[in-house]
Amino acid sequence: MVSGTVGTGTALGAVLVSLLAAPAQAAAPAATDGAGTEQVAATAALAAPDDAGLRKVLRAALTQGAPGAMARIDDNGTVHRLTEGVADRASGRAISTNDRFRVGSVTKSFSAVVLLQLVDEGKLKLDHSVNSYLPGLLPDNHITVRHVLSHRSGLYDYTNDMFAHTVPGFEAVRNKVFSYRDLVKLSLKKPRTNAPGAAYSYSNTNFVVAGMLIEKLTGHSVGTEYKKRIFTPLNLTNTFYVHPDTAIPGTHAKGYLTPDEAGAALVDSTKQTASWAQSAGAIISTSHDLDTFFSALIRGKLMSGAQLTQMEKWTTVNSTTSYGLGLRRRTLSCGVSVYGHTGTVQGFYTYAFTSKDGKRSVSALANTSNNTNVLNTMYGTLESAFCGKSATKAATHGVAPLERNEDIAPGIARD
């Protein structure tokens, strides 16, 4: 028998649906050796998700400026749905875990999956030069497909200049349509950040190149390939790539961009082409569909085991984060490692991660951006979802790391 509880929470509309707790699932904290391959350090049982702690995280995001925040946990058949605040400030409609939203750089994981499928099909080799597939595109024949998928190409991130001033930068591109080559040309106006393969340096330019590779090798748009290879096989009925259309189809959360000027009014940034991002950040989805996607990915349902192994060859970013091929690994305060991606697009912060076995996944959203306090707070959704009640204790001792948004203008310090 399944039981559920629903609470209205605060006047802002907290909603919790928590079904019967599932048994703890196995998870494997991991480390990275010098060759970048994952080593299993130990096996630990996942604690039950801390719904009360998760609700506190979402409420904290509201006090820091997010109009709404929500999270969905899919835990081996058990579903937890938590929401706080509103999807639409004008109407006051409460945010829902069924709402569609812009996932930002979570799109990068979808793009990487398509390219790794093309490796499986013999149409692409990770260690071949990008220029062997796109002649003359890049200034260095030593930049490989692996380099762009792991952010080790050294290609400058054009969004640093585009969004150096947050709201004016956004309004300048809100309705603009770029070609992929337009965006690459913006990057190449600036010196490269490092030699190919020398260092990790997050850049949206890399996944613009990924989109170009997809379209060159398949002869189809990235939207067509996402749908054929991922959306339809996984029955992701609420996931879309609508570029260059500006609207999010169906019922959705509106996004609210925080201006750089303290105290300035939030800007409704929902409608935009997202053409500045495209294959680096223009997918629209829901928390259910993102949970389904990352669970299927980590379980090996989207590519061969050999290519999943390549995807999980890690480059260290910092003490808690490593990057593979379009995939992040986060090590939490309890020692558990989780796998997925973060996403920022104007007005939306997303965290979407799954456990090592793919049996527990969480996707969380705050419908604002350019707000470092909210970004840091929303990291706590991972702690509550995968570490359980121990996350609350860890947070009080300053264990949780400060987040640094890489997804838009990673070279611009906002605080």
Side-chain angles (χ1 to χ4, degrees):
M1 177 178 178
V2 175
S3 64
T5 59
V6 179
T8 57
T10 67
L12 288 169
V15 178
L16 167 65
V17 177
S18 179
L19 304 181
L20 285 175
Q25 305 299 323
T32 303
D33 67 12
T37 55
E38 184 179 12
Q39 305 296 315
V40 175
T43 299
L46 288 182
D50 179 12
D51 288 339
L54 186 50
R55 191 185 305 114
K56 289 179 181 178
V57 169
L58 301 182
R59 288 178 175 172
L62 265 62
T63 68
Q64 294 163 341
M70 60 87 162
R72 174 181 170 126
I73 303 171
D74 284 274
D75 189 14
N76 202 26
T78 297
V79 180
H80 305 249
R81 302 179 181 90
L82 297 98
T83 70
E84 285 279 354
V86 299
D88 185 332
R89 297 176 73 210
S91 70
R93 182 179 70 82
I95 199 167
S96 166
T97 56
N98 294 323
D99 284 341
R100 297 167 181 171
F101 54 91
R102 296 189 185 278
V103 307
S105 286
V106 178
T107 301
K108 292 178 172 68
S109 296
F110 288 81
S111 296
V113 165
V114 174
L115 286 177
L116 288 165
Q117 289 180 354
L118 291 171
V119 174
D120 275 331
E121 294 165 15
K123 298 177 181 176
L124 179 71
K125 292 188 181 296
L126 290 173
D127 294 310
H128 278 197
S129 170
V130 168
N131 282 349
S132 67
Y133 303 104
L134 298 166
L137 177 69
L138 302 181
D140 191 332
N141 288 333
H142 292 97
I143 298 174
T144 67
V145 177
R146 187 187 300 276
H147 291 151
V148 298
L149 293 182
S150 60
H151 293 296
R152 293 183 301 128
S153 69
L155 294 171
Y156 178 80
D157 193 328
Y158 58 86
T159 67
N160 288 332
D161 302 301
M162 191 175 282
F163 302 123
H165 301 287
T166 299
V167 173
F170 167 65
E171 295 294 1
V173 301
R174 181 197 281 264
N175 295 306
K176 192 166 184 177
V177 178
F178 295 93
S179 71
Y180 282 128
R181 288 188 180 271
D182 289 337
L183 297 174
V184 172
K185 286 178 181 177
L186 290 175
S187 169
L188 296 181
K189 288 181 179 179
K190 294 295 184 73
R192 281 173 281 157
T193 56
N194 52 259
Y200 170 89
S201 182
Y202 191 96
S203 174
N204 285 287
T205 309
N206 290 313
F207 279 80
V208 169
V209 173
M212 296 181 74
L213 286 166
I214 290 169
E215 296 195 348
K216 176 65 178 293
L217 295 170
T218 66
H220 302 133
S221 70
V222 292
T224 296
E225 292 301 312
Y226 292 150
K227 185 174 182 180
K228 180 179 76 173
R229 295 170 177 274
I230 304 174
F231 301 171
T232 298
L234 294 183
N235 196 30
L236 306 184
T237 56
N238 289 296
T239 304
F240 307 91
Y241 185 82
V242 301
H243 173 267
D245 290 347
T246 61
I248 300 175
T251 304
H252 58 273
K254 287 191 173 182
Y256 296 95
L257 179 59
T258 306
D260 294 332
E261 300 76 22
L266 297 177
V267 174
D268 185 338
S269 52
T270 311
K271 288 188 175 181
Q272 62 163 299
T273 62
S275 193
W276 66 268
Q278 300 188 55
S279 51
I283 282 177
I284 294 162
S285 192
T286 62
S287 56
H288 168 268
D289 280 9
L290 292 183
D291 282 356
T292 300
F293 168 67
F294 280 113
S295 176
L297 170 57
I298 292 299
R299 291 185 185 196
K301 295 183 178 180
L302 289 171
M303 65 189 72
S304 68
Q307 297 320 315
L308 185 57
T309 296
Q310 295 301 315
M311 196 177 202
E312 294 183 335
K313 287 190 173 181
W314 307 106
T315 299
T316 298
V317 176
N318 56 42
S319 61
T320 62
T321 305
S322 298
Y323 205 92
L325 304 183
L327 188 69
R328 292 190 189 276
R329 186 185 71 198
R330 308 298 295 264
T331 300
L332 306 178
S333 65
C334 57
V336 169
S337 290
V338 293
Y339 306 79
H341 215 287
T342 52
T344 301
V345 66
Q346 291 88 357
F348 302 92
Y349 279 142
T350 302
Y351 285 84
F353 286 81
T354 193
S355 57
K356 179 61 178 173
D357 59 9
K359 291 183 179 180
R360 184 183 298 178
S361 302
V362 63
S363 293
L365 169 76
N367 60 342
T368 194
S369 67
N370 195 37
N371 184 323
T372 304
N373 290 331
V374 172
L375 177 68
N376 277 295
T377 292
M378 290 300 289
Y379 176 87
T381 60
L382 304 184
E383 293 281 337
S384 294
F386 295 103
C387 294
K389 291 184 179 179
S390 67
T392 302
K393 182 178 180 182
T396 62
H397 287 79
V399 174
L402 293 177
E403 290 290 283
R404 181 178 181 275
N405 180 44
E406 290 191 307
D407 297 326
I408 294 181
I412 303 298
R414 301 288 179 192
D415 297 295

